[in-house]
Amino acid sequence: MIARIILGLWFAAVIILAFALPMSAHPSRWYELPVIPGLEEKARIVFFHVPAAWLSTVCFVASMVYGIRYLRSRSLESDTKSAVAAGLGFLFCLLATVTGAVWAKFSWGTFWNWDPRQTSIFALLLIYGAYFALRSAVEAEEKRATLAAVYTIVSAAIMPFFMFVVPRILASLHPQPVLSVQGKTEINTMMLALLLASFAGFTALSLWIWNIQVRIQRLELKQTPVFPGG
Amino acid sequence: MFVLGTTTIILFSIGGEGIGADVLSGMLWVVIFFSSMSGLSRTFVSEEERGTSLTLQLMATPAAVLGGKLLFNIVLASGLNAFVVILYFLLIAEFVLKTYSIFVLTIVMGSIGLAAAATIIAAIISKANTKGTLFPVLSLPILLPLLIAVIKLTSMAVEGVAFEEAMDEFQFLVAYIVVMVTVSYLLFDYIWKD
């Protein structure tokens, strides 16, 4: 209960700060955000778009890991966890796509232009879509779990190709990753702190939703008789 | 029949207008994609429908079944694609190649890649309830990197790029095929023995 209130307050603070903090060309006071040339006020999307995109891939990996666990242990619990993670990942993937498209409309002048980043997130959306189409097409629980696990592993094996081939074939207009290894100068401490706070909030929120969903599914699993009519 | 149908539709939609080589090389792979989607999806479904899959499970090891199906799909895809390419050359006069070596290797490796991805997806859908419609849905995301690479290679062949410059893309195709075959080999046991 207390954790829930803290999470709510945390997110409220992140949202207010993300929109309220002033931006200046030469941030001198601790609360000022730097102006990134070419992005200006539109840079504020980074606090929501980047964590969502990050979580959509993390959830995908989590779904794959629980898929592997299912294939090893054959316990439906793992399959439930895998499916719930995929559902969450799909939600965040949609959020990242939509916020990215709206941002692109104002930055690039069009909602969609097949930028490499857009192509790879489109592929991720397709994979999630195919995953749920597969799950809905199989009735028997154990068969469904096996097929879904196999499909996540196959598609996870394909993901590196998207990261490798797509950026090489098409030039990207997407802003560079802010948290890159080289250590960027464009971002200051306040911006980094807020971004990390948003990351923490998003991660805690998704863990919480995931936990609730898994518990609900577990109860439903208990309610349905294992041998119907028997 | 399917190949003939799509090529005719493309010819009608072009309507005698001059059209870029890029678009033509893209459309070649659209025809190939859809014709393989209808052909390669039958691999395991036919076994399930005729009720022969149980016997196969008893008689052969999963690796042997997968290998046989994979080889069959490679032969089928190569034959299908050869047919598509011949038809495409005959019917579309604007489609002129400059680097034949790139094109031939692209078709061969594209066929192998298509067959490798299609085999594992076909094994998955043969256990599902709605078999026909699910196959394109599941294979499109898996085939997307392959399609992007082969379309790029085909337009290279049309533009007349030297063979050495296309090596990166071929390495990519080899990596794709190796990953697909390895993953299929590792996971096939789980699907097959259900």
Side-chain angles (χ1 to χ4, degrees):
Chain A
M1 187 65 203
I2 290 178
R4 233 185 296 175
I5 295 172
I6 292 176
L7 186 60
L9 289 176
W10 181 273
F11 247 111
V14 167
I15 291 169
I16 292 170
L17 287 178
F19 285 104
L21 285 183
M23 283 188 161
S24 70
H26 304 284
S28 48
R29 276 160 296 205
W30 62 272
Y31 57 82
E32 284 178 339
L33 300 178
V35 172
I36 299 166
L39 290 177
E40 286 98 30
E41 293 285 328
K42 283 170 290 199
R44 291 184 196 274
I45 195 183
V46 76
F47 300 121
F48 308 104
H49 173 73
V50 178
W54 162 249
L55 271 178
S56 66
T57 37
V58 168
C59 289
F60 182 69
V61 173
S63 177
M64 182 199 69
V65 169
Y66 280 109
I68 295 174
R69 277 203 188 171
Y70 172 76
L71 289 182
R72 292 204 153 186
S73 67
R74 299 275 168 184
S75 78
L76 282 175
E77 176 93 16
S78 297
D79 175 58
T80 309
K81 286 177 178 168
S82 172
V84 171
L88 267 176
F90 183 58
L91 175 74
F92 284 115
C93 195
L94 269 181
L95 279 178
T97 314
V98 171
T99 51
V102 171
W103 176 86
K105 175 70 185 168
F106 292 101
S107 229
W108 300 338
T110 169
F111 284 113
W112 202 263
N113 67 343
W114 295 108
D115 192 77
R117 295 297 180 104
Q118 285 179 326
T119 311
S120 45
I121 202 147
F122 175 70
L124 195 58
L125 268 181
L126 275 182
I127 289 173
Y128 277 129
Y131 177 82
F132 291 114
L134 176 63
R135 284 192 80 88
S136 66
V138 189
E139 291 288 325
E141 275 169 352
E142 281 167 8
K143 203 188 262 182
R144 176 174 62 207
T146 313
L147 296 184
V150 169
Y151 190 70
T152 43
I153 298 168
V154 173
S155 47
I158 288 308
M159 275 323 272
F161 287 99
F162 279 108
M163 285 156 196
F164 170 72
V165 77
V166 178
R168 265 173 35 78
I169 286 183
L170 308 159
S172 179
L173 297 170
H174 194 280
Q176 284 301 304
V178 243
L179 292 170
S180 62
V181 197
Q182 295 101 335
K184 286 279 166 182
T185 49
E186 286 171 357
I187 186 165
N188 71 353
T189 322
M190 186 60 212
M191 201 167 185
L192 186 65
L194 198 52
L195 187 59
L196 289 179
S198 183
F199 265 104
F202 265 88
T203 313
L205 184 70
S206 59
L207 273 177
W208 180 44
I209 300 175
W210 182 73
N211 187 20
I212 292 177
Q213 286 281 344
V214 167
R215 272 154 56 203
I216 293 173
Q217 298 284 329
R218 199 181 293 155
L219 287 178
E220 277 176 3
L221 215 63
K222 266 183 199 161
Q223 263 180 359
T224 45
V226 184
F227 303 105
Chain B
M1 269 323 289
F2 192 88
V3 176
L4 207 59
T6 11
T7 322
T8 319
I9 291 169
I10 288 179
L11 278 176
F12 272 114
S13 61
I14 296 170
E17 287 172 40
I19 194 163
D22 274 1
V23 181
L24 279 176
S25 52
M27 274 208 278
L28 171 66
W29 284 97
V30 171
V31 178
I32 289 180
F33 175 72
F34 281 107
S35 53
S36 359
M37 283 303 98
S38 57
L40 301 178
S41 64
R42 301 287 306 157
T43 334
F44 288 95
V45 176
S46 58
E47 301 282 355
E48 296 281 332
E49 277 173 0
R50 282 181 297 172
T52 46
S53 60
L54 273 178
T55 323
L56 261 184
Q57 280 182 30
L58 287 173
M59 298 297 287
T61 59
V65 174
L66 178 71
K69 289 291 182 189
L70 183 62
L71 279 181
F72 173 74
N73 267 354
I74 290 175
V75 171
L76 185 67
S78 311
L80 210 61
N81 292 352
F83 180 58
V84 171
V85 169
I86 291 170
L87 209 65
Y88 211 72
F89 274 122
L90 286 179
L91 293 178
I92 301 176
E94 289 94 337
F95 192 65
V96 183
L97 289 174
K98 292 202 182 103
T99 323
Y100 280 90
S101 52
I102 293 185
F103 185 73
V104 170
L105 197 57
T106 306
I107 293 290
V108 170
M109 291 179 69
S111 307
I112 298 174
L114 265 175
T119 309
I120 186 79
I121 303 290
I124 293 178
I125 60 148
S126 71
K127 306 282 178 186
N129 299 350
T130 49
K131 296 178 171 75
T133 47
L134 204 55
F135 189 72
V137 174
L138 292 192
S139 20
L140 180 63
I142 305 293
L143 286 174
L144 205 54
L146 177 84
L147 287 174
I148 292 174
V150 290
I151 288 172
K152 166 103 176 168
L153 275 170
T154 313
S155 53
M156 274 178 160
V158 171
E159 284 163 11
V161 178
F163 184 74
E164 287 73 29
E165 286 175 41
M167 278 327 282
D168 280 1
E169 269 71 21
F170 283 122
Q171 281 169 1
F172 172 81
L173 283 185
V174 171
Y176 181 89
I177 292 168
V178 169
V179 166
M180 254 0 266
V181 172
T182 317
V183 168
S184 314
Y185 174 73
L186 288 175
L187 294 174
F188 186 67
D189 276 11
Y190 296 106
I191 311 170
W192 188 235
K193 292 196 171 158
D194 230 8

